[in-house]
Structures are given as structure tokens and as C-alpha cells.
Amino acid sequence: MKKLALSDEILLTIDKPARYIGNEINVVTKDLDKIDIRFCMCFPDVYEIGMSYLGIQILYDMFNRREDTYCERVYSPWVDLDRILRDKQIPLFALESQEPVKCFDFLGITLQYEMSYTNILQILELSQIPIYAKDRTEEDPVVLGGGPCAYNPEPIADFFDFFYIGEGETVYDRVLEAYKENKKQGGSRRDYLEKIARIEGIYVPSFYEVEYKEDNTIRAFHKKNGHAKEKIRKQVEMNLSDTFYPKKPLVPYIKVTQDRVVLEIQRGCIRGCRFCQAGMIYRPIRERDVAFLKDYACQMLKATGHEEISLSSLSSSDYSALQELVYYLIEEFSSKGVNISLPSLRIDAFALDVMSKVQDIRKSSLTFAPEAGSQRLRDVINKGLTEKNILEGAMNAFRSGWNRVKLYFMLGLPTETEEDVEEIAVLSDKIAREYYTIPKEQRNGKVSIVASTSYFVPKPFTPFQWARMDTPEEYINKQRLLRGKINGQLNRKSIKYNWHEAEVSILEGVFARGDRRISKVIYDAYKAGCLYDAWSEFFQYEIWLKAFEENQLDIAFYTSREREREEILPWDFLDVGVTKDFLWREYKRGMEEKVTPNCRRACADCGAKIFHGGVCYDKKEQEVIR
Amino acid sequence: MKIRIKFTKSGPLKFIGHLDVMRYFQKAFRRAEVDVEYSQGFSPHQLMSFAAPLGVGLTSDGEYLDVSMHTCDAPEIMIKKINEAMNEYIQVVGFMVLPDSSKNAMSIVAAADYLVSVKDGYETMDKAVFKWKFTDFSNKDSIIITKKSKKSEKDVDIKPMIYYTAFEQDKFREGIGTADGKDRVLHLAADCYTNGIKVFMQLATGSVNNLKPELVMEAFCQYAGEVFKESAYQVHRMEVYADLGAGTNRKLIPLDKVECLTG
């Protein structure tokens, strides 16, 4: 047996020691003497969250298919172990070999949400790797980042040696080959970074420099190393039916957030909601072949023993062979006690039929995400869902026995008025009224409606990347207004209202559209004790405010300021296919309350065509609208 | 049909809690495509129960779980099939089909064997000193400890719940009557420590009387004038028994032998 990095005594005093012992089912073990490259993959949050993420499972499998590479994992130690590692000077270790992360060649960190940024610093510090990239030596691992937040890497640019922009399936082999080659040639860390800076999709932040204007906006962003590219183009895997996907995902011992097989049926989205970053950066939509998915579903269920399989995508209803796939899964697996879960499904006759087959109607609920209360505002954000869709979908479900509805809305969307906010309450009430039009003897008890609001956070590479974000005061006022309005509805007793805290969203807003100067704020806040900011019990807003103040940076500059068309945005050097012209056009159309049809109905000439595939080439007869 | 499975738990998996061991088996059975019976309804679950949940940090050679199956192959085939779907740290070592009338394992547990070892680095006395001190301790007429519950504290004599102790495995097996005359020492899944300080004990276990080996060590420390430190000891369970005797005459039978004797 491999010795564990932590003593029994430590493991028996901390919460959930199974987070740190590795040895999960389907774990990869390799002979370290036969390995050229040691890669440590990190999700900077607690084990149960990190283990639930499909992306790492894909990359873990992909890297470990290489004979010369051993990919291991590390997650954020929980606060109890964090303290012990600091007190006892124990270096953070990877789960597989239980060896210190600092002995690895690479530390790859996935950037899934902005509020995990302080946890990145924790990982680095506990690993005893210098937090700032500039302080690292030849002995330290190369630290890289990737994932959705890499689409604006600037706020954390100082902590990374390089970023991988886009989908991992494409150029990692070249990145690793270059490492081996550089080692063989006796090249330095810098030599290596210069080598990979030439690979499409690789961004080495230290090879670029930013100049700011008096008003704090960016004057210029230019490269200062001849090997660096002017523009970094995101990586896209165009053939999703013939690429890496894990047949034997890891099975953790403890219950994790996604304790199930995750089957990614497609990437990208045709809908074009104007607030949605995923809907823009993963363009064009690409489907996996249904035969591929059936085969993988069988193999993954067999290899894991999971009791549930979940179909993953941004909008499952848009997958063209959804019915075939879902009925196949029900047929094959329902009798074997496998539960089938279908998130992000449009409520229609098919959805209700499937749900009635795989769920207990009395216990499950319907979910709608209208995002905005009024049709006017839904047109602004290009959310195609109409009130008629919602009421009809709900009514059909009610007639089949459902009586619980969950509704998701955002507050603070561009152009939002008091009436728009109030419409959230009115719509919630209308759904309840619909329910009570059913004769009492045919109803299934009382209706229960849960309306939740989150705060809109403008994200890079969306049509709203120029938009102003509300201040915390404006948010709180809107939330109060809505609460009052809900309490004034006829069916107020059937409606439960949940809201998010405003402060976290403000910070998320800064990180989402921040520039390089934010790195120092993150560093200072971390040093002052901020960690696990995504967890409300640990979020310390005052420390953050102080860190901004001490660095003389104004939160409002990043959040509640509408940008000009001409302004150089911190992420402008990235080329995601979708063009700035398109995004601006969409922003203007939004302001004019004009809806843009989805990619299957018409092409809006967004720019994703340069990837030569996906929906852009499915149907040639699409009209192009501008 | 009712199946009783005997399994080991060792290595890093000693840090997995009892409910997670249950999940581990549920998934392992599915990977091995074992024909397990499920409960009815929208969230069906496997019909499974454990004899005596093992605490986090403990290892074992003698864990039991009962599970219902529709069909199964011969025990050797089933053991092989299930073990291939698991890792080395939890392994099935016994598989028996029980008569339908048999009671579930949990309800008949009466005693268990343990090996308690002092972990390296935690020795407070050498092996010889430990032996004579522990012998003196276990020869006392009564061993009174204070059991604390949420509401009250009460003094309990644990001596009657200590059925047997010994320092060597062969002596222990002889003393409790399980020596089979062939293998003098059985291989255990327990971790070994170089200091060699260890003690085997058979203790009352189950719903009527229950004595944890940790509590015996705590009482011993009190007796020896040492500070008790729970993390100093590695507890390894070796076997779990039912009591088929009458009245005060114990007749302890391992849970996997119960039906062979009565059936």
C-alpha cells in the first residue's frame, strides 16, 4: 500500500478524510519511473464539487492515455485541513501518488467560476509554489489555467504561466510534446513558454503588456515577446463523436454533488440569449452522434455502477436525436434501477412523457427559466420563452399530476424597469391561477411555486459585455420591491421567493470584466483571510472592500459603468470566433427589444463559421440576417 | 434469496464511513452485474444491511452484510466476480446463501474479536512492560469505568464484557476455541507495526451488551496511569459472532457458520 500523505492522527481529526485518500474506483496508477511528464489537475474547490465536474474527467482520461504522462488530481483542502497544513508545513499533495504537487511538471487549474480565485492562491501557497508567476524558478511546476473564466484571464494573469483558451481536446498533445522537447534540449522555463506561445490557443500573459489611460480604461495591449501571437484563438473540438471521452470515470467513495454518469450530448447552444456567456463562447453548436452516446452510456454505467445518468448540455431539447436517445436509455436501464435525469429540458409533451416515466410526479417539480418577468424584457435578453409557453407547459403538467413549479429569474438586466420586476410576481401568480382552474377533485392538493432571483452579472463575449451592472443598493431595492409585490398577489401563500445576496454578485462582476490590476486585490484579500468565497459562510465582503480601497481601485469602475463601443476591453486579444461586431449588433438589437432567431432558423452571422462545422454548415438554405 | 457476505476492510479505506461502504457495495454489485433485489417505487434501492457498522479508522477481516438476490452462481464464482469489481482494500472472502427463515445479521450479533495494536511513534512503554501491566489489568475482579451519556454519567463494570484476551494470535485462537489445528497463525488484513505492542481481545458486541475496544484501552490507560490517546491505537476487527448458547452459557459461532450449524 502506498503511504498516505497525511498521518492517521490528522485524517481522524478532520471532516470527511475520504476527500484526501485517493484510491477511488477507476483511479489510474502508473509506474513513476516510466513517466516523463507529471501533470497535476486541480479544481480549486472542495473535493465533492471538484469530483462532480466532467471536464477534469475528460482531461484526466485524455492525459493518462499517453504513456509518457501521469495525470493526478488535487482539490482545495477544506478549512480544517488548510489550517493543519499551514501549522505543520505539510506541502499539498496529489491524490494518486500522495506526493507533493510542487514535484510535478505541471499544475493545471480549471477556472469554472470567478469566486474560486482565492482558492487558486490557496492551492499555490499550500503547495509551496510561489503565488506570482514571476517569482517561480526552474524547480517549480508550470502553472496553467483553462475553462470558462479563461475567456477573461486578466484578473488572475499574474498567477499563471500560461492559459489554454478553449476546449482541451485539441492542442494539449503539442503542449506536452514541446515540454519534453524543451527538457531534452536543456531549455529553460522561458524557452518553454516561448515555444508554446506559438501554438494556437495558448496565452502567455507575461509576454504582453497593458497600458492604461488617465480614466483607467485600457490605452493599449501589446505583446513584448516576438514569439507571442497578436490574437489568441480559442480551441474547438469539431468532431465530438470521434474524440476523447472517459469510458471509466472515477467513482468517489463519498457522496459528491454529481454522483452519476454524465453524458455530454452536445456543446454550444443555438439560442443566443444575450446574457449568456456559455451560449456565445461555445459556438458553434456541435452534436455528438447518438450511436456514440448510446455506446458510452452503456460502458460508463457498467464501469461505474452509478444508479443515475444525466444528460448534459446547455439546452437538451435542441439535441436533434433526443427522443431516440432518451427512450433508448429508459428501455435499456429503467428496469435495472437506473434513474435518468434531464436538466435544461423545455417542458413539452415529450418532456412530460419522459418525466412521468422516470420520476415520481408527487415528488418532482417543473423548472422554467424565464429569466425576466415581462415579455418586453425577455425580448431584450433574447430569451425565446413566452408567457404562453410557460402557462401551457405548466397547465399540461398540472393536468398530469404535477403541482410544484420552480421559476428562475434575474434582477438587474439592462433596461429593467419597476414594471419588469413586478411582472415576476404577476407571472408567478398567473401560474398559480392556472392551477386552480382545474376542478378541485382533479387537483393534486395545493400548488407550490418557488420563484428565485439571482443578480445579472455582465460577462465577456456576450452582447451585454458593455452593459452597466446595478449597484448593491439598486439590487436590494429591486429585491424588496419584488418581495412586496409577491406578497400582494392573490396566491401569495403558494409562492415562495428566494433571492441571492448582492455582494457576491458585485465581486463576480468585477472579476468577470476586470483587468490585470485586479490580481493584486485578489492577492491582498487572500492574504487577509478570504477563501472559499463561493461559500456564503466564508464570504467576507468587508475584507474585499478594504483590498480594493488599499489598491485604489474603484469597484464601480468595473461594474456600474456602461462601456463605449471604442473602448479596448481587457479580453479583446482573444478571438472566440464570435466577433465584436456581432456582439455589438446584438447589444443594439437588445436595446431595441428586437429578437434574433436561433441558429437553426437563421444565421445571424456571428463569426463562428470560421470553425468550419457544426450548425453553421448543417443547412445551406438558412437566411442570413444582420 | 438471502445472502450473507463476509468481507475485509483495510488500508486507506479505513477512512471510509459505514454509509459509504454501503454505497461502495451498491456500486460494486452493479459493476459486477450481480442480480440484486431492489425495493419497489420510483427510487429503488438494494435490500442490504450490515451486521455491525465499523467505525472510521478501524480495519477488519470479519465484516458482514446481508443482501437479497434473485439469482446467484456458486460462492467461488460470486466471490471472484464481485472482487473483480472492487479494489484490494475491500474484498469479499465469504459468500453464503441463507435459509429464508434466517434472522438478519444485525439482530444476532453477540461478540467480536479484535486486535488492538499500538501505532509506531505512540509507544509509552516497551512490549514486555505492556504485557505484564495489561495482564494485571485484565486479571482484576472488576474494571469500573464511567460511561457518559447525554443525560447522565454512570459507572459500569466492563470486566464481564471482556470475554478473553491474549498477546499472540495462536494463543488467542486456542483460548477462544477457534484454532483449527492447521494454520497456527492466520494472515490478517491489519497493518503491522514494528514496536510489536498489541493485544487480541474478544468482547461483547451488539444490542444487548456492547463494549468497544477503545474503551478497554481507555480503562487500561487509566489503570496504568497513562494519558489515553485514541489515535495511538489501531483497532482491527477479526470476527463477529452470534451466541447460540442458552442462558449464561455462551456458544459463540461466527456469523458465516451460524446457518451451517442450525440448518
Side-chain angles (χ1 to χ4, degrees):
Chain A
M1 186 191 113
K2 247 174 285 138
K3 213 175 158 319
L4 297 177
L6 300 172
S7 69
D8 284 12
E9 195 170 334
I10 293 175
L11 286 164
L12 289 172
T13 50
I14 55 177
D15 192 30
K16 297 190 185 163
R19 287 167 173 162
Y20 313 106
I21 61 172
N23 286 295
E24 297 95 330
I25 296 295
N26 296 331
V27 76
V28 176
T29 46
K30 289 193 178 186
D31 182 352
L32 292 175
D33 296 332
K34 292 176 183 152
I35 295 302
D36 294 320
I37 301 169
R38 296 190 71 178
F39 195 108
C40 189
M41 189 63 81
C42 168
F43 192 110
D45 206 322
V46 76
Y47 180 85
E48 296 92 304
I49 305 279
M51 275 299 278
S52 305
Y53 171 56
L54 173 68
I56 285 192
Q57 298 255 19
I58 294 178
L59 294 178
Y60 183 79
D61 171 71
M62 184 183 90
F63 285 138
N64 279 322
R65 287 191 201 188
R66 288 178 65 107
E67 271 185 27
D68 61 354
T69 304
Y70 187 15
C71 178
E72 306 186 35
R73 293 159 298 137
V74 68
Y75 303 96
S76 304
W78 191 240
V79 289
D80 52 358
L81 182 60
D82 174 280
R83 213 164 302 130
I84 292 170
L85 294 181
R86 284 174 205 274
D87 287 350
K88 298 190 188 295
Q89 290 283 305
I90 301 169
L92 185 61
F93 53 92
L95 293 182
E96 278 76 2
S97 65
Q98 297 276 314
E99 292 185 359
V101 175
K102 64 179 172 186
C103 305
F104 281 64
D105 298 293
F106 290 96
L107 170 59
I109 303 176
T110 182
L111 310 169
Q112 294 297 313
Y113 34 89
E114 293 85 358
M115 300 317 288
S116 67
Y117 287 171
T118 50
N119 281 52
I120 297 172
L121 274 53
Q122 177 215 29
I123 295 278
L124 291 169
E125 190 168 54
L126 292 180
S127 299
Q128 303 172 359
I129 297 169
I131 291 178
Y132 281 103
K134 64 177 166 50
D135 298 330
R136 289 180 201 137
T137 68
E138 301 295 330
E139 308 306 313
D140 294 307
V142 175
V143 179
L144 64 139
C149 293
Y151 288 90
N152 177 19
E154 293 302 273
I156 46 173
D158 289 354
F159 312 127
F160 284 85
D161 294 299
F162 74 90
F163 292 94
Y164 182 117
I165 312 296
E167 297 171 7
E169 288 95 342
T170 60
V171 296
Y172 264 123
D173 272 336
R174 288 175 62 196
V175 170
L176 298 182
E177 287 303 329
Y179 185 80
K180 270 168 71 173
E181 193 188 297
N182 188 56
K183 233 176 167 181
K184 211 184 282 167
Q185 294 164 348
S188 67
R189 193 180 185 90
R190 193 186 166 83
D191 293 333
Y192 174 61
L193 294 176
E194 287 183 346
K195 270 198 170 80
I196 58 169
R198 281 173 261 167
I199 301 174
E200 193 176 80
I202 303 299
Y203 168 53
V204 181
S206 59
F207 292 169
Y208 300 81
E209 169 166 69
V210 190
E211 274 178 58
Y212 299 94
K213 293 186 201 164
E214 294 280 288
D215 67 359
N216 274 324
T217 58
I218 295 173
R219 182 188 308 283
F221 181 97
H222 41 77
K223 55 178 199 170
K224 55 176 184 178
N225 185 304
H227 299 276
K229 288 176 183 291
E230 285 298 340
K231 274 238 170 192
I232 317 290
R233 176 172 292 181
K234 77 157 182 193
Q235 289 305 293
V236 196
E237 172 56 63
M238 292 310 294
N239 188 354
L240 284 179
S241 301
D242 182 21
T243 184
F244 304 97
Y245 203 79
K247 285 186 174 159
K248 292 181 167 188
L250 290 153
V251 185
Y253 294 111
I254 51 175
K255 202 162 172 41
V256 299
T257 317
Q258 286 254 26
D259 184 30
R260 52 184 78 94
V261 165
V262 180
L263 198 60
E264 187 196 40
I265 58 177
Q266 59 188 354
R267 267 186 214 164
C269 183
I270 58 172
R271 298 278 147 187
C273 298
R274 294 185 177 118
F275 56 85
C276 180
Q277 187 186 38
M280 297 293 160
I281 60 178
Y282 298 128
R283 284 185 177 211
I285 196 170
R286 291 144 290 148
E287 298 191 339
R288 288 191 204 267
D289 187 66
V290 68
F292 173 98
L293 293 173
K294 287 178 185 173
D295 176 35
Y296 271 75
C298 296
Q299 295 202 44
M300 290 166 81
L301 283 167
K302 169 87 178 97
T304 57
H306 282 316
E307 296 86 0
E308 186 168 344
I309 182 165
S310 172
L311 303 187
S312 157
S313 81
L314 293 167
S315 169
S316 300
S317 304
D318 295 326
Y319 178 65
S320 50
L322 187 71
Q323 299 212 7
E324 182 185 344
L325 178 64
V326 170
Y327 286 128
Y328 169 83
L329 293 176
I330 292 175
E331 188 107 329
E332 275 306 289
F333 299 111
S334 268
S335 61
K336 295 174 185 163
V338 176
N339 188 19
I340 297 153
S341 107
L342 298 153
S344 62
L345 197 60
R346 196 167 49 236
I347 306 293
D348 55 16
F350 162 68
L352 292 175
D353 179 50
V354 168
M355 285 162 67
S356 67
K357 286 194 167 100
V358 301
Q359 296 174 344
D360 185 345
I361 294 175
R362 286 161 305 167
K363 287 180 191 151
S364 62
S365 57
L366 303 167
T367 304
F368 294 97
E371 310 294 359
S374 68
Q375 193 56 50
R376 186 201 73 79
L377 194 51
R378 283 195 293 272
D379 289 345
V380 171
I381 64 177
N382 206 41
K383 182 84 191 182
L385 198 61
T386 64
E387 185 173 299
K388 193 165 164 272
N389 297 149
I390 297 167
L391 293 179
E392 279 179 9
M395 198 54 187
N396 287 333
F398 293 154
R399 286 208 192 90
S400 315
W402 272 274
N403 63 351
R404 291 196 234 190
V405 181
K406 284 191 210 156
L407 300 169
Y408 290 98
F409 297 98
M410 279 190 275
L411 289 176
L413 288 161
T415 76
E416 185 180 54
T417 62
E418 284 196 2
E419 290 76 62
D420 294 318
V421 175
E422 290 174 359
E423 284 288 319
I424 294 174
V426 175
L427 178 61
S428 305
D429 189 62
K430 272 188 191 158
I431 296 170
R433 288 178 190 227
E434 282 287 302
Y435 182 79
Y436 290 111
T437 60
I438 301 174
K440 194 167 187 181
E441 58 282 5
Q442 292 167 31
R443 293 198 302 248
N444 179 17
K446 281 184 176 170
V447 71
S448 143
I449 292 167
V450 179
S452 304
T453 59
S454 60
Y455 296 114
F456 166 63
V457 178
K459 296 275 164 122
F461 296 110
T462 65
F464 291 160
Q465 64 178 355
W466 291 277
R468 176 184 181 277
M469 187 176 166
D470 278 353
T471 63
E473 295 73 35
E474 288 168 308
Y475 276 140
I476 289 161
N477 287 339
K478 285 179 179 176
Q479 175 243 307
R480 286 203 185 119
L481 171 73
L482 178 54
R483 203 170 30 162
K485 193 73 188 174
I486 285 176
N487 286 333
Q489 298 299 313
L490 177 66
N491 292 294
R492 61 185 171 275
K493 285 186 178 153
S494 304
I495 307 170
K496 189 177 180 314
Y497 175 39
N498 293 328
W499 60 91
H500 279 228
E501 297 299 323
E503 286 89 358
V504 185
S505 305
I506 294 295
L507 215 57
E508 191 186 324
V510 177
F511 297 156
R513 294 191 292 173
D515 53 43
R516 281 191 182 191
R517 293 170 296 187
I518 299 294
S519 288
K520 182 66 177 19
V521 178
I522 295 172
Y523 181 86
D524 288 351
Y526 167 72
K527 283 290 180 182
C530 287
L531 189 65
Y532 280 107
D533 296 291
W535 297 68
S536 55
E537 65 263 49
F538 297 118
F539 181 66
Q540 305 178 75
Y541 192 47
E542 304 71 41
I543 299 185
W544 281 104
L545 291 182
K546 203 164 154 247
F548 275 97
E549 203 175 301
E550 284 173 1
N551 285 285
Q552 289 163 9
L553 290 172
D554 180 16
I555 289 180
F557 168 79
Y558 294 100
T559 54
S560 30
R561 178 175 67 88
E562 184 172 2
R563 278 82 166 152
E564 305 277 322
R565 170 71 179 92
E566 292 70 35
E567 182 174 332
I568 298 175
L569 303 172
W571 52 91
D572 273 353
F573 66 94
L574 295 177
D575 167 12
V576 299
V578 170
T579 62
K580 204 170 177 180
D581 280 343
F582 163 75
L583 294 173
W584 182 258
R585 265 190 336 260
E586 276 296 289
Y587 186 36
K588 291 293 133 192
R589 281 176 73 89
M591 296 305 106
E592 292 158 17
E593 300 169 15
K594 273 191 197 151
V595 170
T596 300
N598 74 54
C599 298
R600 290 222 172 95
R601 282 188 43 218
C603 175
D605 193 21
C606 71
K609 241 180 168 160
I610 56 162
F611 299 113
H612 304 293
V615 68
C616 313
Y617 293 83
D618 278 355
K619 282 189 196 143
K620 300 294 175 202
E621 71 273 23
Q622 279 168 343
E623 57 168 324
V624 176
I625 53 150
R626 288 196 73 147
Chain B
M1 60 182 89
K2 284 188 177 181
I3 307 291
R4 181 159 300 157
I5 283 173
K6 183 178 187 181
F7 63 95
T8 64
K9 187 184 181 198
S10 66
L13 294 205
K14 72 180 178 188
F15 297 107
I16 306 294
H18 161 248
L19 289 176
D20 293 327
V21 172
M22 183 145 24
R23 284 165 25 85
Y24 175 88
F25 270 100
Q26 286 165 352
K27 292 189 196 279
F29 287 156
R30 302 178 68 96
R31 289 192 294 271
E33 295 178 341
V34 173
D35 192 8
V36 179
E37 201 178 320
Y38 283 80
S39 67
Q40 300 297 307
F42 268 102
S43 49
H45 55 272
Q46 299 179 7
L47 300 168
M48 186 189 287
S49 70
F50 285 75
L54 192 69
V56 173
L58 280 65
T59 55
S60 180
D61 268 295
E63 293 304 290
Y64 290 94
L65 74 84
D66 290 354
V67 59
S68 295
M69 293 186 190
H70 292 295
T71 58
C72 70
D73 294 319
E76 322 78 73
I77 298 173
M78 292 306 290
I79 291 175
K80 186 167 177 284
K81 206 157 114 176
I82 299 167
N83 282 342
E84 276 169 1
M86 309 209 290
N87 62 27
E88 61 189 295
Y89 305 114
I90 290 185
Q91 284 279 295
V92 173
V93 291
F95 183 101
M96 43 249 129
V97 180
L98 305 174
D100 285 343
S101 61
S102 59
K103 292 178 178 169
N104 76 29
M106 191 186 292
S107 65
I108 55 171
V109 172
D113 295 343
Y114 296 96
L115 162 62
V116 180
S117 313
V118 175
K119 290 178 187 172
D120 287 332
Y122 291 90
E123 313 82 339
T124 55
M125 54 187 92
D126 78 29
K127 196 174 162 181
V129 176
F130 174 80
K131 273 189 181 177
W132 68 255
K133 277 197 175 175
F134 196 90
T135 307
D136 276 2
F137 163 74
S138 56
N139 285 339
K140 292 204 304 172
D141 290 338
S142 64
I143 301 172
I144 308 294
I145 54 116
T146 311
K147 265 194 172 173
K148 286 176 196 158
S149 74
K150 274 175 200 156
K151 283 180 199 154
S152 63
E153 287 187 6
K154 66 174 181 185
D155 288 342
V156 183
D157 182 8
I158 60 169
K159 170 80 190 205
M161 291 187 268
I162 304 175
Y163 295 158
Y164 192 74
T165 64
F167 300 105
E168 303 302 331
Q169 200 201 121
D170 51 349
K171 289 267 166 52
F172 181 69
R173 291 175 66 207
E174 229 168 80
I176 59 171
T178 58
D180 55 9
K182 284 182 289 181
D183 307 307
R184 284 176 52 78
V185 179
L186 295 176
H187 174 75
L188 299 181
D191 288 340
C192 286
Y193 299 93
T194 51
N195 66 55
I197 306 171
K198 60 179 194 279
V199 55
F200 295 85
M201 49 180 87
Q202 186 168 71
L203 307 177
T205 307
S207 49
V208 184
N209 282 308
N210 192 49
L211 179 59
K212 288 183 167 182
E214 296 90 331
L215 201 62
V216 177
M217 296 320 288
E218 190 175 347
F220 169 68
C221 285
Q222 236 167 53
Y223 169 80
E226 301 276 344
V227 177
F228 172 69
K229 207 173 175 189
E230 194 167 337
S231 52
Y233 306 98
Q234 178 62 52
V235 177
H236 179 77
R237 183 141 73 187
M238 295 158 64
E239 186 55 88
V240 178
Y241 301 92
D243 186 359
L244 300 187
T248 51
N249 290 325
R250 280 195 306 273
K251 188 180 169 198
L252 298 181
I253 308 293
L255 290 187
D256 56 340
K257 303 286 189 314
V258 171
E259 296 304 331
C260 317
L261 289 171
T262 59

